[in-house]
Every structure is written in structure tokens, then in C-alpha cells.
């Protein structure tokens, strides 16, 4: 078995300390020693390395119930890198800019106008303006963009079109050129909502679940198995809206316009018919009802759907409403951008 080189060991220790500062906030050297199990000289060395790299700074002192000077607190340099999450819908654009700790430092929104007669909406310009407003002149390490559509799982290029006004195949490189960001990536918006649900919402602590997205602008889904988002070979995993339910697409049966005045029990019946296929194939154990319809239905709708799924399936399946606060797509985009930025900055 190979042993780690001194350089590798230092890199591992540094990343461990940075992750602890992310999880706990400012810590003293003694606290870092307790949490890492590293020796006093090793912690002292890594703190100095991280300070020299501009990743950690002294953040005041903490009063400990002992004689002698207070212990110095060390904190992440939160603005060492900034990221942006972008949610592009058919109706508008929303942007959140966050620092390395995940704290929001800026936001912006733009409605998407109808294309002018004989012309097109300049979507790259509108997105770039919104991101620039939220960033307020600050450089961005990573920009993660969420949008409806089928994305290739490796290249992240859109391989099936959407009807977002002004959408272009070269949107990502155009944004990268306009924004000067280190990296710009594209992800399906429901996949991003599932990431937020897994990290901060109803699926926290669950390794396997399916998110059913019931939104004003469409119906979709996302699959998480073994704690990982599953996109499929072509990027089409989770496209639940395409299921055939009695000669109609699942999307048509639970679309907002189709269920607007529908009694909750009938809505639950329609949702359960589609979810039975998901449970029969994947047996995820948990399904989260997201989007505006899922959130509005809350625990009452989730309970009704669970009853109806249980009548059809032998696999025990829990149904929960989304608990992500605010825009789940935008939060998932920020979380995705943060993961990449931290790996780049922390090493």
C-alpha cells in the first residue's frame, strides 16, 4: 500500500480544515486540533499556509474560561471566490450570487419579453445584464445555469429544444464571453431543484428519491439514487411528463391548466397513476412533490397521493411535499456552482 507524500498529506489536511470552517464557521487552533486530530505543529503550519494563500483570515478572538490570552479565531475568506446561480424560465430570469460560505451577496431578476415583430429576444444579453447586476462588478468563479430541456449528461449541451424566448445553441459560450467567468455550465432545472431538495429540503438524509416537478410552466422529474443525481445515457432520466396515462401524456393530465379547479382527491388520483410507474421501476422509497402545485398541496396532498400509490404498489413509498424555501432551481444552481468553486479554490 502506497503512503501519501508530504505534499499530498498537507493538501488533505488543508482541505479538511477548510471543510470544517465551512461547516462550523470560525474556529480556534485548539478547536481545529480537536476536530481534525492533528498535532499542534501541524495545525499551526496549515493555518499559516491557508493564511498565506488568502483562504483563511484571523477573525477576532473567543473568550475561553481560562487564564491567559483569548484564543484567536480563524475564518474563511468568504469573498475569495464568488459564484452565481441562474434560473431561466419561459417567463423570466432570476440570479443569485453567493460567496464561498454560501451566503447571498447579490440578486437580480428580469422578465422575458415577447419577441418583437420580425425579431428575437436577445437572451444572452438579458442574462448577462442580470448576472452583472447581481455580481455588482465582482468576478465570478463559476456560473451555473438552470433551464428547461434535455441536457447531454457529459457535455451539458442542450440536445432537445425548449421554448424559452431567444434560446440559442451558443448561449453558454456567449455568456462565458460576456461575463468573463471562470466556468459557465448548464443543467436541467428540475435536476437542480432535486439537488436543493437533497441538500436542504424534504429529501435531506435520503440516498434514494424521485422529485416530481409540478410547475406552472411544465411537468418533469429528477432521479437521485445512491446519493447521486442520475441523468441517464442521453440525459433523459426523470422525464416523467412523457409517461402515457390512459392515452394522454402524464404532463397533460397534471398540467396546471388541467387541474386548476380539480378537487384535491382527483388531483391525487392523477398524480398517483403516474407515480405508480416510477415506483414499480425504481422503488425509490421516497417521492417529493415539488413545483408550485406540490408545494401548494402540502402535507394534505402528499398524504392522499401516498394512499393511492399504496393501493397500486407493494413497495412502501413515502410521499413528501417540497420543503425548500424559495426558488429551488436557483438554490440548486448555487449549490452546484459552490461545489465546483470550492474544489477549484480549495484544491
Amino acid at each position: 500500500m502506497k503512503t501519501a507524500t508530504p505534499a499530498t498529506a498537507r493538501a488533505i489536511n488543508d482541505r479538511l480544515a477548510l471543510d470544517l470552517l465551512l461547516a462550523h464557521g470560525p474556529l480556534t487552533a485548539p478547536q481545529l486540533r480537536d476536530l481534525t486530530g492533528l498535532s499542534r505543529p501541524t495545525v499551526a503550519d496549515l493555518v499559516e499556509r491557508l493564511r498565506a494563500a488568502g483562504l483563511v483570515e484571523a477573525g477576532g478572538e473567543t473568550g475561553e474560561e481560562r487564564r491567559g490570552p483569548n484564543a484567536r479565531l480563524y475564518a474563511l475568506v468568504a469573498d475569495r471566490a464568488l459564484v452565481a446561480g441562474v434560473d431561466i424560465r419561459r417567463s423570466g430570469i432570476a440570479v443569485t450570487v453567493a460567496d464561498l460560505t454560501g451566503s447571498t451577496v447579490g440578486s437580480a431578476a428580469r422578465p422575458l419579453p415577447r419577441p418583437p415583430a420580425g425579431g428575437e429576444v436577445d437572451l444572452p444579453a438579458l442574462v448577462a445584464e442580470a448576472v452583472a447586476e447581481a455580481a455588482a462588478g465582482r468576478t465570478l468563479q463559476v456560473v451555473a445555469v438552470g433551464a428547461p430541456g434535455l441536457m447531454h449528461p457529459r457535455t451539458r449541451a442542450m440536445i432537445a429544444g425548449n421554448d424559452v424566448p431567444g434560446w440559442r445553441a451558443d448561449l453558454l459560450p456567449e455568456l462565458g464571453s460576456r461575463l468573463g467567468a471562470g466556468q459557465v455550465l448548464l443543467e436541467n432545472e428540475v435536476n437542480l431543484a432535486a439537488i436543493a431538495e437533497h441538500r436542504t429540503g424534504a429529501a435531506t438524509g435520503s440516498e434514494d428519491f424521485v422529485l416530481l416537478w409540478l410547475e406552472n410552466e411544465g411537468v418533469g422529474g429528477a432521479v437521485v439514487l445512491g446519493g447521486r443525481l442520475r441523468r441517464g445515457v442521453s440525459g433523459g432520466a426523470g422525464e416523467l411528463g412523457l409517461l402515457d396515462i390512459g392515452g394522454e401524456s402524464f404532463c397533460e393530465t397534471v398540467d396546471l391548466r388541467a387541474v386548476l379547479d380539480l378537487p384535491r382527491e382527483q388531483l391525487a388520483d392523477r398524480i398517483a397513476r403516474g407515480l405508480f410507474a416510477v415506483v414499480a421501476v425504481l422503488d425509490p422509497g421516497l417521492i417529493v412533490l415539488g413545483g408550485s402545485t406540490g408545494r401548494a398541496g402540502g402535507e394534505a396532498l402528499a398524504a392522499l397521493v401516498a394512499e393511492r400509490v399504496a393501493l397500486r404498489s407493494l413497495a412502501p413509498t413515502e410521499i413528501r411535499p417540497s420543503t425548500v424555501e424559495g426558488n429551488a432551481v436557483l438554490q440548486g444552481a448555487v449549490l452546484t456552482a459552490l461545489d465546483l468553486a470550492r474544489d477549484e479554490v480549495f484544491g
Side-chain angles (χ1 to χ4, degrees):
M1 183 177 66
K2 294 183 179 180
T3 58
T5 65
T8 300
R10 285 193 295 270
I12 292 171
N13 291 340
D14 290 355
R15 182 60 191 261
L16 175 59
L18 290 167
D19 287 341
L20 286 169
L21 290 170
L22 271 174
H24 297 278
L27 295 169
T28 65
Q31 288 171 330
L32 281 170
R33 291 200 301 271
D34 291 341
L35 290 168
T36 61
L38 299 172
S39 67
R40 182 189 297 268
T42 300
V43 168
D45 288 344
L46 77 80
V47 167
E48 287 309 309
R49 268 197 312 275
L50 296 177
R51 291 184 70 182
L55 295 172
V56 167
E57 61 187 355
E61 297 181 339
T62 182
E64 296 184 352
E65 295 181 358
R66 60 176 175 80
R67 292 186 178 183
N70 292 337
R72 177 171 293 180
L73 284 166
Y74 296 99
L76 286 174
V77 179
D79 60 358
R80 176 69 168 72
L82 300 178
V83 304
V86 182
D87 179 15
I88 301 177
R89 307 285 183 96
R90 298 174 184 89
S91 56
I93 303 159
V95 181
T96 294
V97 171
D99 63 25
L100 278 175
T101 67
S103 297
T104 298
V105 298
S107 61
R110 292 280 190 288
L112 276 184
R114 292 184 178 179
E120 293 184 353
V121 172
D122 190 349
L123 184 61
L126 289 172
V127 175
E129 288 171 7
V131 174
E133 178 186 330
R138 294 165 292 197
T139 301
L140 298 170
Q141 187 86 12
V142 181
V143 177
V145 180
L150 201 63
M151 319 295 175
H152 192 281
R154 289 183 295 279
T155 67
R156 300 290 181 91
M158 185 170 289
I159 57 177
N162 60 30
D163 54 0
V164 172
W167 189 271
R168 292 163 39 176
D170 64 346
L171 178 67
L172 284 193
E174 182 66 21
L175 282 178
S177 174
R178 290 174 183 252
L179 297 174
Q183 184 179 358
V184 182
L185 63 94
L186 179 66
E187 180 61 271
N188 173 269
E189 91 279 29
V190 184
N191 284 346
L192 291 177
I195 289 171
E197 209 68 61
H198 193 212
R199 301 271 283 272
T200 68
T204 301
S206 298
E207 289 291 295
D208 305 311
F209 76 97
V210 169
L211 170 66
L212 173 61
W213 189 249
L214 302 165
E215 188 53 80
N216 300 354
E217 297 188 9
V219 175
V223 178
V224 173
L225 297 175
R228 296 178 57 192
L229 182 68
R230 303 294 175 168
R231 298 180 178 87
V233 173
S234 65
E239 291 295 332
L240 307 182
L242 301 179
L243 289 172
D244 186 287
I245 307 295
E248 285 187 286
S249 72
F250 186 42
C251 181
E252 291 174 342
T253 65
V254 295
D255 179 84
L256 182 64
R257 289 163 294 186
V259 303
L260 193 58
D261 298 317
L262 206 64
R264 185 176 289 167
E265 290 75 12
Q266 291 184 34
L267 173 59
D269 285 337
R270 293 189 181 189
I271 293 173
R273 284 200 295 271
L275 290 185
F276 168 67
V278 176
V279 171
V281 174
L282 295 179
D283 186 17
L286 171 64
I287 293 175
V288 177
L289 304 182
S292 56
T293 300
R295 288 195 306 272
E299 295 286 355
L301 177 61
L304 289 171
V305 173
E307 290 174 3
R308 285 153 175 78
V309 170
L311 292 174
R312 293 176 168 87
S313 173
L314 296 177
T317 306
E318 187 175 2
I319 313 291
R320 301 177 189 166
S322 169
T323 58
V324 174
E325 296 291 336
N327 186 326
V329 175
L330 201 52
Q331 290 189 42
V334 170
L335 289 168
T336 298
L338 280 172
D339 287 343
L340 292 170
R342 288 167 181 167
D343 282 345
E344 290 177 4
V345 174
F346 294 170

